Each structure stands twice: as C-alpha cells, then as structure tokens.
C-alpha cells in the first residue's frame, strides 16, 4: 500500500472556490465513512477527514479500508483490556530503512512516518507544518518518490528506501540542490526548506511532465516567506547542469 | 586566514552567504519542536467554544485518569492573570468572563500526547451565554458594550491646516469607502515553546518568537518573580511576519504555568496547525472612508479620512497598529489640509495583532484605490494626478513632518513605468480587451513606509546592543533582535565586519537569551537593520576605540593585528566588551498629544506596478507581472533585500486575491491550508525587484528599513490593474472570484 505522491494533486493548484466546493461535496460521504471508525484516536479521524476532504481519491479509499480493518481489530482488543485508559494499540515490528541505515522499531500501527522519523529515530530535519499533507514541509523520498511523510503510515514503509534531508549531503559535501538553495537564497526562515529540497530531489528524478513547469511541479510545497523565485532558480540551475 | 581584508573591501552591499544557511539546508537547524528534554510533558489548551459568556462550571468527562494530568486554571496563577503588553486587559486564562471563541480557559499536561488530546476534548464548560458583537459596525454602534465604556481601544485625530474650510473652494469632492479583511500570518512553523518553571530555579522558556523581552516582561507579571528569575531564549524560528510578536507571551505563560504546577518538569506546547490558525492573531480587518477636495488643476486641497480597525476582544497591540495605519493614511502626497479620525474597536473575536505592515497596508490600500477614483473624476490619468501631488523634500506629511531627505517620487514613477512599459500597455490593453474573455490590465500604487517605532517609540525603548571580543579576535554581537528568516544574523555581521574592518567570518551573533543579551527591542517595525543595526555599528566601533585608546591597536591594522590586540587585551584586562544605546537623530520631535511631528526617522519610498489578467469565464484574476521599485537607503545585502521584497509582495498577492478568513459566530471556519489559500509557487509571477539607493545619514552604512514596505503596495496596485482590465472598481480585499463574478455579471 505504498502511496506515491500524486503528481496531479501537486501540480494543479485549484482555485479557492473549486477546492471549497469539492470539499463540500465530499463532506457527507466523509462523515459517513468516519462513523465506521471506532475511537481509534481523534487525530486519525481528523486525518482521514482531511484526506477525504482533500479529494485524495483511490489512495485515500484504500487507506480508509485498511484503517477500518485495523480500527475494528483495535476496538475488540481495547474492550478486552477492560477500558485501559490510555487506549494504546499493541505494537508491531517495523524496520525503517532511512538514509541507508536500518532502524528496527516497535510501532503502534497508526504511527505516521513523520512521527517515526522525528520522535523514534530522532531525525528532526523533516518538519511538521500542518500534519495534514497540506504544506509539504514533511516531504521525504520513499524509493525515490516524494511523499508527504505526515500522511504516510510508517508501517506501510517497512523495507522501503527512505531518504530525508539528513541523508542528502555526502559527509561535508552538500548535495548540489543544497548548495544551490544557499547560492540562490531559496529560503528565509528555513522551516519549509527540508521539504522543498526533498521535493526538488524527487522532481529531478521524476522529471517534469510534458506541459508542466517546475513552478507547477513544486506547488505542493508552500513557502510563506515567499522565497519561490530563489527556490525555482536553485532547481533550474541543478536541472540545467544535469541535462 | 589571509590579510585580504586589509584592502578594506566593504562587505555591506555584498551577497555573502547567510550565517545559518548551511544548518537550514541540511536539516541541522533546531526549531522548538525538534528539542526535547528528559521527563518532558506535553501541554494542551482547552478553549472556549462560545464567543461571549460567563463560566458557571468546568466539567471533566468520565473515563479518563484525571489524577495523572497536570491541570491549571486561572486560580493557579502565582502572579497577575494578565498578558502584560500595552494594557493589562487580556487574561492568560479565563477566570469568569469569556470574550472570544477559542479563548484559553484551562491547561492540561501529560506525557502521552494521544491521551492528552482525548482529555482536551473531555473538558467542557457550562457557560451562561452573553450577546456578542462581531463587526466593527456593531462595535461602533455600541450594540453591546464589551470593552471599557464605549468599545474603543484607542482613537487618534491628526489635523493639518483646516480641512473644514476647503470644501467650499473645491472644484471636485470625491468620496469612497474601502475595506480589507483579516489575514492569517501562516508562518510554516506553528507556535511552540518549552518551559521549565519552579519557585527555586525560576522560569526558563525556549521558543519560537520575535521578541524575547516581550515574553520576559509578560512572565515577570504572571509569576511575580524578580527579573533575574525569568529567562527567555529564542530558538530557530520558522517565520513570524508579526504573528510571533505578541502571541508567544501567551503560549510561553501557559507552558510555564503547567511546568510550575508540575514542580518544574519541562512542558512543551506545540500548536496544531488548525489551533494556530483559529486561535492566534491575524491582521486587523479595516474600513476606511475618504472625502477628498481637489481643484480643477488636479491639486489636492483637503483630505478627510476616517480609519477604523477591528481589534478583536482585547487591546493587545491595536493602538500601535492603528497609529501606523493612521500616519500612513495620507500617503506620500503634499496636501495642505488633512484630518484623520482613527479608531480601534473591540469585537468578540480572537484579538487581531501584528502582521507585516502593521496597519499601513490597510490605510494605503484605501488611499491608493481612492486616488485612482479621484484622478478619474478630475479627468487626469492616475499617474498625472499623483505627479501633481507628490511630496518633495522640504514639504510636510499629514503629521506636519518636514521631509528632510531627498525624495523623488516622480523619478521612481518614471523608472517603474519604463521597467513595465506601463504607458504603452495601458493603451494597448484598453484597446485589445474589447470582446475578449481574457482581459488584461496594468495598475500601480505609490507609497512610503516609515522605519522604526512610531513617534517617540524608539526613545522609550532605549534599545541596547553589546559586542564582545575574545582572545582569538572573534567578535560576538549581543542583541535580543531575532533571526526569523529575514537575515538579522547576516546583516549584523556585515555591519560589524565593516565597522571593524575585519573578516566577516570573525563575527558571530549570540543566540537571543535574556540572561545573556541586552534588550535591543522587539524584532518588528522594519527597525532591525536601521535602528538596531546602527547600534551594532556603534557597539563594534566601541571595541575598536577601546583597543586603540589603550595603544593595543594602531590606526591602520590588519585582521592579524586585530587578533593580536584582542589577545593582549584579554590577557591584561579580561574580556573586551562594548555597549551602545539608542539616541534619536538630531532634530526629531514628536508630540504624542497632538499627533504632530516627526513620526518616523526615515521613510522608504516606492512605486509598485502590477499586471493582471482577469478570465471572464472563470472569474479568476492572476498577477502576470509585478515590478517592485523602492528607495530604501543603502542596500546592506542585495539578495536578502530582494528576498524581503519578493516575500512581502507574495504575501500581498495572497492578501489581495486568495486569503479569505471565513467567520462564523466570531470563529474562523476555514482554519486549514486547503481552504484558507495562500499563494503557491504556481500562483506567483516572477517578482521583479529594483532598488534606488539614497543613503540615510543615521542608518548603518546608510541603510533604512525595508521589511514591511513590500506588503503595502500590492493590494492597491493589483486592484487598480483589475479596474483597468474590467472597468469595474473593486474596493475591498480579498477579491475572490465570487465577487468578481457577481460584479462583472451585473455590468455585463
């Protein structure tokens, strides 16, 4: 159930009205589906609702199905545990392969990849800007594809090759994108920067689809400082030198 | 290290790499949520669901192990229950009366984040509802009195000449009303802090913030402790834009109260994005009314302006936001008679606060839209009308400030037009738009922005900066001014390196920590480079002077000589330190009572030109080209400066075309990044930035402030362009496709 970043969703930024009307259409459906879920945790319900509202499509439906199964399992387990107050799920073994190193972990099934990276492994370079897949600050590469790690279940990435911002440089030698971001001042506050750079790294590998610009292909990574001109200049420089 | 710097190559003006650049591109930079401490608890805030009411009872839901939780209410506050800022009206926690939705009432802490979230939802309040008011009209009409005696936080009146006498002589009298909406700062790093607090050790707070000493001042009152028992440390900050000016005092106090109750265990509070958007400050919504008298030659005779901003439920910074908006309301024009009446009013919504521009984008939007209308009525082009009224050196602003620096608005206008081919496009688009579904337009705004605190603000602040040199010749700058992405660290190092004629890499900037750095004032108001930078320059010069006076350093020296002198000084006398305190430039006078005089030490001057297309099928307006031309004194760092302008313009484009806060019962409904839309890379045109440099005598190396300026001109320039494209005058922002559709259908 690996989710690859939906290029279409990343590339086409629908206008406000369009996004809102599509959200409204999905809402009743979302509510119904959410009813199916037990008290698995407010955060997960919120996430599911987000995913559905954002029009996540098939990927979201698959996820939901899987959640449903897990949530049901959990409900009975929790009932057995006679109202254990912390409502903890049992853990499962997951080995995350991050920046070339294996991290064998025991994770609750609902732990997101971003939280596993930041809180279990201690790689805090990937940032949590929204926790809903809306800002892109948490972007990492999974088997070379850029994903929002806040929307990715860690357990689903068992064995996948994860690359985070910490894994990009080779020792003291910066990755060309990192060097280009410095050269073109492709950031100000730096908080979205790890996500921007990882997204750019994924884009370089994917290539820009015909008819789309780098501007569009990077539109899933929001920079409130507005350093877009620098970000695009940095990416274009590295793209140019690779071509 | 070489003696290359002996050549006295200036570093000011050069695009040196950012000091913290490497840490930010490798993921090594540590923001508050990247830090954790042993035994740390997580904190959460339980907030009001209603906009106004009286709390009767707090209820804790069944099925949760409440004895495991740290629970804090207003009754647990050791000092005063108020967030000390300008007034003392805002509580840290509601004791009885709720004044806005999402107001904090109770705090919880627990080691398990998930359980904490469950508990947060299980606390409910039995509230006796009171009638709320939500709009500035309801507040002005005193539908309910919710603050003070009249709902008015602050009023100003500015008088120049006698505007009452001009109406009779005027050939034209033109009126208009203009509105701007709330805007969320939406820094990508949400608000967050970690606090450790107990009676023995005092209170220490680490966090994302713009103004460590604001937090320090607020905690002093909250805990009633001596100054040295409170310590505030800024961690790497993921954007602020004003949104982390006053709010960190609130969240810092909350975390510290929880830690205090927990006997000093560290407590971390990080806001979820939805909480940050719904509960924290936004840009003040505004309404501006203009009445303008003009003669047949197109000369301004009089301007009467009423400027009202919605401050939300508590006073916070509204009086100062109002002040800046008021002073900028009459713009860079020479008008003999001006009266401005301004009010900041209370409503039952979360308090509005600082956001880049601080009132000026609101009043400048109104003026620059209004002057296009005035020009039309008078029968002149928008450019020609402004040319006949631009202010010049020796003339006076609305507050009677005599402009003593050279100012050339005509020159800026001419250059901006040349850069955009404005005149030709103005004519060509008008001809070509007929019958087309994609209509093009071009428009501009001319404006100024005062740098530094308003009026006597800088005198009251008495900012101090320190510099110290170690035995290895390295210089550490001590200031509370924060790096929040705008380049403080780099710019201070450039200024100090040039002042000392030593290598840029020898300069470092200390982490803002109230136990180690003096109070150089808040990081706001476009003051960091111009005001604090000047103090950095003089503190650095103090080091040099000490070494030279003690005979350790000769008049001409190399970096090696500098190191040797520092080493000898440290051996003989210990660490070398120098401090510098703010003194106003000569001839600055401000009358706070009459609101007359020198409102700002210096102004940046600008002309921004926007080119738009309006799609008559989708009613989407897009900015296709944007030229930002400004005179900002000496540009200290061309790349960082351009970045400031590009970023401000991007936020202004959002303010104008995308960012709409949807309110319901005093609460933001669309508190997510999928339905509160900010510009992405695909929405922003290439922003073309140009500087004119007219060195300012009292700025470091001649620099003036620039941070807020680029927020001011975008909205009116874009709406002026949309009027050019469509023939319809829109007088409010945000201007969404819905509003375009409605208006354009009506005229069709």
């Amino acid at each position: 159930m690996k989710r690859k970043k939906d290029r279409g969703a990343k590339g086409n930024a629908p206008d406000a009205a369009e996004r809102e009307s599509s959200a409204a259409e999905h809402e009743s459906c979302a509510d119904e589906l959410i009813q199916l879920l037990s008290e698995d945790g407010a955060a997960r319900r919120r996430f599911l609702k987000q995913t559905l509202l954002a029009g996540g499509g098939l990927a979201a439906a698959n996820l939901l199905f899987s959640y449903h199964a897990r949530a049901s399992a959990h409900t009975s387990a929790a009932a057995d545990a006679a109202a254990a107050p912390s409502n903890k799920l049992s853990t499962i073994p997951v080995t995350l392969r991050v920046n070339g190193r294996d991290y064998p972990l025991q994770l609750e099934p609902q732990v997101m990849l971003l939280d596993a990276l930041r809180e279990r492994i201690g790689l805090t370079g990937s940032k949590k800007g929204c926790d809903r897949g809306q800002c892109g600050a948490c972007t990492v590469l999974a088997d070379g594809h850029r994903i929002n790690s806040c929307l990715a279940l860690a357990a689903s990435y068992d064995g996948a090759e994860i690359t985070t911002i910490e894994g990009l440089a080779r020792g003291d030698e910066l990755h060309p994108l990192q060097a280009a971001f410095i050269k073109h001042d492709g950031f100000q506050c730096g908080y979205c920067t790890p996500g921007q750079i990882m997204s750019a790294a994924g884009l370089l590998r994917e290539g820009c689809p015909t008819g789309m610009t780098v501007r569009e292909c990077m539109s899933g990574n929001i920079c409130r400082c507005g350093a877009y001109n620098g970000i695009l200049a940095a990416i274009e420089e590295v793209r140019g030198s690779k071509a | 290290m070489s003696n290359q710097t002996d050549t006295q190559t200036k570093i000011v003006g050069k695009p040196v790499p950012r000091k913290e650049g490497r840490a930010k591109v490798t993921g090594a930079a540590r923001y508050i949520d990247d830090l954790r401490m042993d035994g740390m608890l997580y904190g959460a805030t339980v907030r009001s669901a209603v906009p106004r009411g009286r709390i009767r009872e707090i209820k804790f839901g069944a099925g949760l192990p409440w004895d495991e939780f740290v629970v804090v209410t207003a009754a647990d506050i050791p000092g005063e229950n108020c967030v000390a800022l300008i007034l003392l009206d805002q509580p840290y926690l509601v004791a009885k009366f709720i004044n806005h939705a999402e107001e904090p009432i109770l705090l919880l802490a627990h080691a398990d984040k998930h359980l904490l979230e469950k508990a947060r939802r299980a606390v409910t309040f039995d509230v006796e509802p009171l009638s709320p008011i939500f709009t500035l009209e309801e507040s002005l009409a005193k539908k309910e009195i919710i603050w003070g005696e009249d709902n008015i936080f602050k009023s100003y009146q500015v008088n120049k000449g006698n505007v009452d006498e001009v109406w009779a002589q005027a050939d034209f009298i033109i009126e208009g009303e203009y509105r701007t909406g709330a805007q969320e700062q939406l820094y990508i790093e949400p608000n967050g802090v970690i606090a450790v607090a107990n009676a023995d050790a005092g209170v220490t707070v680490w966090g994302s913030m713009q103004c460590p000493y604001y937090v320090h001042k607020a905690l002093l009152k909250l805990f009633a402790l001596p100054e040295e028992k409170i310590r505030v440390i800024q961690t790497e900050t993921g954007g602020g834009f004003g949104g982390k000016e006053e709010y960190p005092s609130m969240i810092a106090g909350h975390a510290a109260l929880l830690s205090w109750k927990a006997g000093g265990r560290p407590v971390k509070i990080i806001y979820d994005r939805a909480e940050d958007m719904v509960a924290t400050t936004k840009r003040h919504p505004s309404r501006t009314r203009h009445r303008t008298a003009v003669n047949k030659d197109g000369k301004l005779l009089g301007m009467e302006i009423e400027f009202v901003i919605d401050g939300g439920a508590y006073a916070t910074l509204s009086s100062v936001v109002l002040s800046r908006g008021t002073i900028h309301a009459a713009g860079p024009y020479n008008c003999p008679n001006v009266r401005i009446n301004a009010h900041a009013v209370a409503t039952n919504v979360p308090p509005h606060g600082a956001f880049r521009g601080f009132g000026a984008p609101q009043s400048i939007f109104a003026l620059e839209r209004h002057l296009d209308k005035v020009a039309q009525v008078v029968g002149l082009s928008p450019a020609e009308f402004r040319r006949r009224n631009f202010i010049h050196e020796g003339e006076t602003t609305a507050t009677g400030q005599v402009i003593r620096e050279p100012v050339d608005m005509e020159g800026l206008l001419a250059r901006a037009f040349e850069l955009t081919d404005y005149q030709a496009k103005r004519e060509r688009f008008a001809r070509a738009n007929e019958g087309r579904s994609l209509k093009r337009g071009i428009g501009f705004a001319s404006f100024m922005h005062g740098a530094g605190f308003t009026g006597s603000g800088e005198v009251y602040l008495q900012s101090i900066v320190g510099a110290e040199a170690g035995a290895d010749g390295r210089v550490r700058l001590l200031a509370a001014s924060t790096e929040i992405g705008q380049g403080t660290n780099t710019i201070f190092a450039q200024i100090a390196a040039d002042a000392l004629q030593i290598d840029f890499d020898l300069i470092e900037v200390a982490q803002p920590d109230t136990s180690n750095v003096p109070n150089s004032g808040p990081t706001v108001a476009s003051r960091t480079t111009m005001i604090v930078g000047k103090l950095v320059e003089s503190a650095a010069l103090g080091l040099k002077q000490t070494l030279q006076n003690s005979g350790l350093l000769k008049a001409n020296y190399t970096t090696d000589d500098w190191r040797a002198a520092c080493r000898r000084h440290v051996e003989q006398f210990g660490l070398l330190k120098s401090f510098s305190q703010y003194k106003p430039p000569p001839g600055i006078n401000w009358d706070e009572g009459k609101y007359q005089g020198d409102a700002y030490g210096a102004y940046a001057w600008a002309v921004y030109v926007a080119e738009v297309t309006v799609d008559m099928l989708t009613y989407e307006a897009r900015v296709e080209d944007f030229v930002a031309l400004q005179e900002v004194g000496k540009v200290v760092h061309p790349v960082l400066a351009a970045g400031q302008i590009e970023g401000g313009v991007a936020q202004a484009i959002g303010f104008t075309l995308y960012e709409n806060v949807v309110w319901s019962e005093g609460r933001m409904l669309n508190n997510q990044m999928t339905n509160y839309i900010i510009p992405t890379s695909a929405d922003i045109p290439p922003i073309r930035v140009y500087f004119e440099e007219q060195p300012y005598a009292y700025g470091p190396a001649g620099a003036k402030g620039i941070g807020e300026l680029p927020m001011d001109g975008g909205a009116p320039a874009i709406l002026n362009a949309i009027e050019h494209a469509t023939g319809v005058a829109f007088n409010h922002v945000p201007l969404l496709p819905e509003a375009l559709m409605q208006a354009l259908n009506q005229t069709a």
Side-chain angles (χ1 to χ4, degrees), chain A residues 50 119 127 172 185 215, chain B residues 18 22 34 113 672 684:
Chain A
Q50 282 318 316
E119 299 190 7
K127 300 302 181 209
D172 279 348
D185 205 45
R215 224 172 237 290
Chain B
R18 272 176 190 273
R22 195 180 173 93
D34 303 337
K113 269 192 218 179
Q672 301 178 41
I684 297 294

Side-chain angles (χ1 to χ4, degrees), chain A residues 7 17 21 24 40 73 84 87 97 100 138 144 152 156 158 174-175 202 224 233:
Chain A
R7 263 190 228 146
S21 75
D40 182 15
N87 210 17
R97 186 167 172 76
C138 65
S156 304
D158 192 321
L174 294 178
H175 184 280
R224 185 53 150 172

Side-chain angles (χ1 to χ4, degrees), chain B residues 49-129:
Chain B
V50 301
R52 191 167 177 234
R54 191 172 64 86
I55 299 179
R56 283 192 288 238
E57 195 191 349
I58 299 175
K59 295 175 182 168
F60 295 86
L64 282 156
W66 289 110
D67 57 338
E68 287 179 14
F69 285 85
V70 184
V71 180
V72 167
T73 66
D76 295 304
I77 289 174
E80 276 184 59
N81 184 13
C82 66
V83 187
L85 192 59
I86 296 170
L87 299 180
L88 304 176
D89 62 330
Q90 184 179 25
Y92 268 99
L93 293 167
V94 173
K96 197 177 238 178
F97 288 100
I98 294 164
N99 285 308
H100 64 84
E102 306 298 336
E103 186 162 15
I105 300 173
L106 182 139
L107 305 168
L108 293 169
H110 196 280
D112 181 338
K113 269 192 218 179
H114 298 288
L115 191 57
L116 180 67
E117 176 60 16
K118 244 177 133 57
R120 189 180 68 78
R121 286 158 186 256
V123 179
T124 52
F125 307 104
D126 177 17
V127 178
E128 174 198 334

Side-chain angles (χ1 to χ4, degrees), chain B residues 166-300:
Chain B
V166 303
W167 309 115
Q169 315 155 22
D171 294 305
F172 304 95
I173 297 173
I174 303 103
E175 297 184 357
E177 182 178 297
Y178 308 87
R179 286 169 186 271
T180 63
Q183 186 186 19
E184 165 61 31
Q185 293 89 355
L186 213 65
Y187 29 72
I188 303 295
E189 180 205 24
N191 270 292
V193 296
I194 298 175
V196 175
N198 65 44
D200 296 333
V203 178
T204 304
V205 171
W206 295 258
S208 180
M209 64 183 74
Q210 293 177 225
C211 313
Y213 275 96
Y214 276 12
V215 178
H216 189 266
K217 175 182 164 183
L219 294 176
L220 276 178
K221 214 163 194 72
L222 177 65
F223 286 93
L225 286 170
E227 263 183 46
E228 66 278 8
K229 287 274 194 180
I230 308 276
R231 181 177 179 193
V232 180
I233 302 157
Q234 183 233 0
T235 49
E236 197 75 67
T237 296
F241 318 116
K244 292 172 185 167
E245 175 171 355
E246 76 269 34
Y247 202 85
S249 297
M250 177 69 85
I251 182 170
H254 286 167
L257 286 169
L258 283 166
S259 176
W260 184 270
K261 184 103 182 252
R265 276 181 80 171
V267 173
K268 180 194 259 191
I269 301 183
I270 306 289
Y271 281 176
D272 175 73
R273 173 60 60 191
E275 180 179 22
D276 199 306
M277 289 180 77
V278 81
T280 73
T281 60
K282 293 170 187 46
R283 182 185 301 286
H284 290 71
S286 76
R287 183 190 78 189
T288 309
R289 289 175 172 162
H290 274 271
R291 188 163 190 246
T292 309
V294 184
N295 73 13
K296 60 182 184 332
D297 300 326
K299 293 287 275 183
L300 282 168

Side-chain angles (χ1 to χ4, degrees), chain B residues 70 151 193 224 227 251 286 289 348 367 380 428 551 590 593 599 664 694 702 718:
Chain B
V70 184
N151 293 337
V193 296
E227 263 183 46
I251 182 170
S286 76
R289 289 175 172 162
N348 294 110
L367 178 67
L380 293 171
R428 196 165 74 234
W590 176 250
S664 171
Q694 177 71 51
I718 293 166

Side-chain angles (χ1 to χ4, degrees), chain A:
Chain A
M1 202 193 56
K2 280 189 192 133
R3 296 190 331 110
K4 290 176 181 157
K5 198 148 204 167
D6 182 343
R7 263 190 228 146
K10 220 173 163 60
N12 300 321
D15 67 39
E18 193 182 324
R19 281 195 220 176
E20 272 166 26
S21 75
S22 115
E25 272 169 39
H26 285 282
E27 186 133 40
S28 57
C29 159
D31 282 337
E32 208 175 297
L33 290 168
I34 285 160
Q35 289 301 313
L36 294 171
L37 296 174
S38 65
E39 281 294 295
D40 182 15
R44 293 283 64 76
R45 285 206 310 284
R46 204 169 57 222
F47 153 66
L48 282 171
K49 189 159 180 174
Q50 282 318 316
T51 312
L52 290 165
L53 291 183
L58 266 184
N62 283 339
L63 263 180
L64 185 72
F65 183 76
S66 143
Y67 270 124
H68 188 201
R70 286 200 180 110
S72 309
H74 158 59
T75 311
S76 51
D80 291 347
S86 70
N87 210 17
K88 282 229 163 72
L89 294 173
S90 55
T91 58
I92 51 171
V94 177
T95 298
L96 289 179
R97 186 167 172 76
V98 186
N99 303 331
R101 201 181 135 189
D102 285 330
Y103 296 88
L105 304 169
Q106 279 291 328
L107 297 178
E108 291 132 21
Q110 84 278 19
V111 171
M112 307 313 284
L113 180 58
L114 176 63
D115 292 324
L117 291 170
R118 290 178 52 82
E119 299 190 7
R120 308 291 175 106
I121 298 176
L123 291 171
T124 55
S126 309
K127 300 302 181 209
K128 186 181 280 191
C130 68
D131 211 17
R132 290 161 173 76
Q134 300 173 348
C135 74
C138 65
T139 307
V140 300
L141 299 184
D143 293 330
H145 295 280
R146 45 193 179 147
I147 59 165
N148 285 326
S149 62
C150 75
L151 289 188
L153 285 167
S156 304
Y157 287 85
D158 192 321
E161 197 75 47
I162 309 289
T163 311
T164 70
I165 190 72
E166 291 95 339
L168 218 50
R170 288 193 183 156
D172 279 348
E173 192 193 333
L174 294 178
H175 184 280
L177 275 170
Q178 292 171 314
F181 266 66
I182 292 179
K183 180 178 162 193
H184 294 279
D185 205 45
F187 58 92
Q188 289 179 25
C189 81
Y191 202 75
C192 73
T193 311
Q196 299 282 358
I197 293 176
M198 295 315 293
S199 190
L203 176 64
L204 289 182
R205 194 179 164 281
E206 292 161 16
C208 227
T210 315
M212 284 181 77
T213 60
V214 172
R215 224 172 237 290
E216 290 167 314
C217 293
M218 285 299 293
S219 66
N221 291 83
I222 290 180
C223 170
R224 185 53 150 172
C225 298
Y228 294 127
N229 283 359
I231 292 168
L232 295 168
I235 297 171
E236 291 293 4
E237 180 184 288
V238 179
R239 267 183 107 212
S241 69
K242 282 189 94 176

